[in-house]
Amino acid sequence: MNAIGHKRCSLCSSYRLFSSSVQWISPLDYYQSSNYPRPDAPIEIDGTAEQVRRKRKYISHESAVSLIKREKDAKRALEIFNKVSDQKGFNHNNSTYAVLLHRLAVCKKFEKVDAVIHQMKYETCKFNEGVFTNLMKHYSKSSFHEKVVEMFDAILPIVRDKPSLNAISTCLNLLIEAKQIELAKEFLLNVQKRLDLKPNTCIFNILVKYHCRTGDVEAAFEVLEEMRKSRVSHPNLITYSTLMDGLCRCGRLQEAIDLFEKMLAEDQIPPDALTYNILINAFCRAGKVDRARKIIEFMRKNGCQPNIVNYTALMNGFCREGRVGNAKEIFHEMKGAGLTPDVVGYTTLINSFCRAGKVDEGIELLEEMKDQGCKADDVTVKIILGGLCRASRSSEAFDMLERLPYDGVRLSKESYRIVLNFLCKEGELEKAMELLGLMLARRFVPHFAMSNELLVQLCEAGKAADAALALFGLLEMGFKPEPKTWSMLIDVICRERKLLPAFQLLDELVLQ
């Protein structure tokens, strides 16, 4: 057996000894191994709608809606829609169109959406604008912002009625949330011209948010004055909260406090936990965490119980100042108030511990999360892994990577990369090779630069067989190394007078 073949077996054997639960296997042979059977092909069910039609003499609108809702495949949902329309005397209504369009939009079959909407223009049934507000949201999530306006424009010809203020508010808000400011301005001008718009409180609030997002707080206050003059709207808690947040983000904290007091004194609007949180965050950003803590006390005295978001914001403030002890006090105070910390609250404190070099306390909190049924996410795990690596505890980080998936925690490739980067940086190449085997077995590929770096380090350390084994595993996952890496690896193997492995590498190079 040649050196590379021997090292390949050596790597497999060493990894089996390291982990009894996960066996290293070449990704190319992943589904060929008896331990990892190829998943069954999806069962094709032809003529789903036709079978349903034979089983039932007549499909009502309610049954059609139910069938389309249950169908996850957009093509089959469309087939059901078309088949039921073949029934004598059956005409689709708002409900069947709505559920079909929703299914198509969820599956991102937007070209089919356009075709169905075109068909709706020739229907005689009564449609509801909710069909189109729902589509606006789907298009906004998919970053087709012009289509958001297009869906709004479809309301009048298809619903055959003027769009409501709710539809206008939805469209305008989606555009502003997506930071499509110019499109939002153009939309609002067109609506005012075509529909003789008289804005309500909701639309005024969206305009306030729009000006605050662009940093033009003075223009936002002009909208506030327009609201006061209007007979159909008046400022509410959302108006004031948005303005306060705009002032705080511009560094005008005292003006935000003055506006808060004005809201209480003049309009007699009681603040909620979200409004208080704006001030808590503002004080924390300004380095006045102790004043932010007093807001929590003020809330309790005025009948507004602080929530998890308030406590987490305060903990963040203390953590940014390196006051881990105070952050821990707030954490226990939150639990003492009967609140169960969420993943954000736990992660905030864990991050603080790890940055202060108290990784063990962070791990204790991770175990507490598990006991409390609060599932750690990838962000939490990356913080712990980073803390362990900074403390030169790479073996524990490796063990955690191997174990966590079996505890139900979904890891991303970034989690593996944190540890691999550290191992390469510290020159722990044997451990790096073990981690590479684990990553490839789980279908994760290291970062391009890090893969090249690992191969170069293995060559420089004279570990030609390890480098070749790592390279073949990476190639099977689609990795293409830099020409310099190829050259270095072939040079090292040739110097060891291993000509057959060199020819194998050259064959791989030709195939790239």
Side-chain angles (χ1 to χ4, degrees), residues 12 20 25 40 129 173 259 278 281 410 424 486 493 496:
C12 292
S20 60
I25 184 167
D40 294 336
E129 71 176 17
N173 193 50
L259 184 63
I278 291 168
N281 277 320
R410 295 189 64 180
C424 290
W486 280 110
I493 292 175
E496 290 188 4

Side-chain angles (χ1 to χ4, degrees), residues 243-292:
L243 285 166
M244 286 165 56
D245 187 54
L247 288 168
C248 290
R249 291 184 182 280
C250 292
R252 297 158 65 174
L253 181 53
Q254 187 55 52
E255 292 178 63
I257 296 169
D258 294 341
L259 184 63
F260 177 81
E261 293 174 351
K262 185 177 181 180
M263 176 184 73
L264 290 171
E266 293 185 10
D267 287 313
Q268 297 181 345
I269 298 174
D272 62 4
L274 179 61
T275 310
Y276 280 114
N277 210 59
I278 291 168
L279 294 178
I280 292 171
N281 277 320
F283 278 120
C284 289
R285 284 196 299 265
K288 301 176 180 179
V289 190
D290 292 309
R291 289 193 66 181

Side-chain angles (χ1 to χ4, degrees), residues 53 56-61 82-92:
R53 186 179 176 185
R56 300 185 63 169
K57 291 183 179 180
Y58 186 82
I59 300 175
S60 65
H61 290 96
N82 290 331
K83 287 292 183 183
V84 296
S85 65
D86 291 341
Q87 299 178 116
K88 188 175 181 180
F90 185 95
N91 291 305
H92 282 293

